[in-house]
Amino acid sequence: MTPKTIRWVGDTNGHVELIDQTLLPVECRILSIRSVKTLWEAIRMLRIRGAPAIGIAAAYGLVLGLQDIQDDASREETVKKINESADYLATSRPTAVNLFWALDRMRKTAASLPAADTKQLKERLLVEAEAIRDEDAASCRAIGRHGADLIPAGGGVLTHCNAGGLATAEYGTALALMFAAREQGNTSFRVYADETRPLLQGARLTCWELMQAGIDTTLICDNMAGHLMGRGMIDLVVTGADRIAANGDTANKIGTYSLAVLARAHEIPFYVAAPTSSFDLSIPDGSQIPIEMRQSEEVTHLAGQPTAPPDVQVYNPAFDVTPHEYIAAIVTEKGIITKPNSQSVREHFNSIQAG
Ligand code: MRU
């Protein structure tokens, strides 16, 4: 059985275990992480990656940080430590809003507690981090249930990067639609997975997950998508999201925007699947989403081997923003936002609050 993407082991003095995703699919190695610094490195280096999974990791990180504090420490000292760890983890990656959402939720939990002893506070924060993990697992199942019918029997599905169980607590967001469709008896669709340069999350992770689930999987290079669409091989595109603005503009792995434009040109629906924790309603549109820039070696090298002249200039944004006009619908754990825009997104969140 595949190990969990990320989990906490033991009581408040325990540690985080996660699959080192940089080694997949060659090796499925479990890392034990016992410090905030090591966790920061794991997020930065994409050992753990995908917006919801990064949020879960950050929540566990605050529990790890408190292990430096004695059980009889003052409230002031404890809060200072939580803030230090949270501020540090917040510098690991800038785009996925789930990281900031989870840190904020943990800080609020700590602040809402009466000035109880530090031992109780540590226990409460571990409970909250586990709740973030469990709620994400439940959200992914619900996303699958809501979106499974979007996949037609015998259809061709294109996905980009990895929005599967490895990017979440389990089950995934974009891939949840495929897993759920299959569980509901639709076994005749085929998934085309973009390899997803520069770090190949599609080839290494998505193909690994889909094939384990027995789904008909075909790997393509990123630049082949238009060719397949032109030949009528793709019926829908579905991706995850790292941050969705209040008007539905969606940041996701670099290359997603190009796919959405291609899909529009071929009159193919382009869907996003994401939990509500991936929405950032504080920003009106995608122009304010911070885009992570990563090191040039990711582009100039493949598997440690140079593939470009040594001094070539490189531009390496890790994400792009797809304007909401290109998105046919966003599937969340609460339902489907068709034709996302400021109004439909607002209505979705209003109905959640009302319900
Ligand atoms: O750089 P990564 O691998 O963290 O990028 C991940 C993605 O772009 C995913 O599509 C996104 O986080 C959604 S995961 C459910």
Side-chain angles (χ1 to χ4, degrees):
M1 210 179 88
T2 312
K4 289 210 178 305
T5 299
I6 181 164
R7 68 178 188 132
W8 182 270
V9 180
D11 61 13
T12 51
N13 292 315
H15 63 276
V16 176
E17 270 188 7
L18 54 85
I19 300 177
D20 184 347
Q21 297 187 31
T22 62
L23 304 176
L24 285 173
V26 177
E27 186 186 346
C28 186
R29 188 189 298 171
I30 305 298
L31 294 180
S32 295
I33 296 202
R34 296 168 195 279
S35 75
V36 178
K37 196 160 176 273
T38 322
L39 187 72
W40 185 96
E41 191 270 352
I43 297 173
R44 177 68 145 217
M45 300 308 290
L46 276 57
R47 301 187 199 288
I48 180 91
R49 30 79 36 215
I54 294 174
I56 297 162
Y60 285 146
L62 294 196
V63 184
L64 283 179
L66 282 181
Q67 292 174 349
D68 298 344
I69 297 278
Q70 297 297 317
D71 281 351
D72 59 357
S74 70
R75 176 70 168 218
E76 199 185 4
E77 195 187 342
T78 311
V79 168
K80 186 164 167 268
K81 185 67 196 179
I82 292 170
N83 286 335
E84 265 174 27
S85 302
D87 291 347
Y88 178 57
L89 287 167
T91 64
S92 57
R93 296 192 75 190
T95 304
V97 76
N98 305 62
L99 172 73
F100 308 95
W101 169 86
L103 290 172
D104 195 43
R105 180 165 156 178
M106 294 289 281
R107 282 200 232 231
K108 283 187 179 138
T109 301
S112 71
L113 290 176
D117 66 40
T118 298
K119 186 167 183 295
Q120 278 178 342
L121 193 138
K122 289 179 182 179
E123 286 163 0
R124 181 66 189 83
L125 285 184
L126 178 55
V127 167
E128 193 67 16
E130 293 287 38
I132 288 173
R133 203 212 80 88
D134 293 347
E135 286 168 26
D136 185 61
S139 288
C140 289
R141 299 274 164 183
I143 288 170
R145 282 195 300 277
H146 290 303
D149 285 348
L150 296 173
I151 299 182
V157 185
L158 179 63
T159 191
H160 190 66
C161 194
N162 172 264
L166 289 166
T168 57
E170 58 192 44
Y171 208 66
T173 57
L175 296 201
L177 274 57
M178 303 164 206
F179 296 143
R182 191 178 163 83
E183 282 161 20
Q184 291 172 15
N186 176 359
T187 53
S188 59
F189 65 91
R190 164 176 291 184
V191 182
Y192 293 94
D194 272 353
E195 62 174 354
T196 316
R197 276 284 285 151
L199 295 178
L200 303 174
Q201 290 94 326
R204 296 186 301 103
L205 310 177
T206 296
C207 291
W208 189 74
E209 283 196 45
L210 290 172
M211 290 170 74
Q212 276 182 12
I215 291 173
D216 184 336
T217 306
T218 303
L219 173 64
I220 61 168
C221 297
D222 299 332
N223 49 7
M224 297 174 184
H227 177 74
L228 271 72
M229 290 183 191
R231 296 203 155 196
M233 295 161 72
I234 307 293
D235 296 289
L236 68 148
V237 182
V238 57
T239 73
D242 282 85
R243 192 185 295 229
I244 305 174
N247 70 345
D249 291 356
T250 296
N252 191 53
K253 178 55 55 194
I254 190 76
T256 303
Y257 174 35
S258 321
L259 281 186
V261 174
L262 272 176
R264 171 59 55 87
H266 291 88
E267 298 180 3
I268 294 167
F270 175 89
Y271 299 113
V272 170
T276 48
S277 56
S278 294
F279 283 73
D280 182 354
L281 300 180
S282 73
I283 52 170
D285 60 57
S287 66
Q288 291 177 42
I289 298 177
I291 299 295
E292 176 181 8
M293 299 299 294
R294 292 187 63 89
Q295 57 272 36
S296 53
E297 288 71 23
E298 292 179 354
V299 179
T300 57
H301 288 65
L302 254 184
Q305 293 300 313
T307 55
D311 298 326
V312 69
Q313 293 183 63
V314 171
Y315 188 67
N316 185 19
F319 300 96
D320 58 27
V321 175
T322 299
H324 63 93
E325 295 88 348
Y326 289 99
I327 302 172
I330 301 177
V331 184
T332 80
E333 76 277 19
K334 300 293 182 188
I336 299 188
I337 311 173
T338 31
K339 295 204 171 98
N341 57 36
S342 302
Q343 191 186 334
S344 58
V345 169
R346 197 179 325 113
E347 281 168 6
H348 191 71
F349 279 85
N350 285 346
S351 73
I352 295 170
Q353 271 173 354

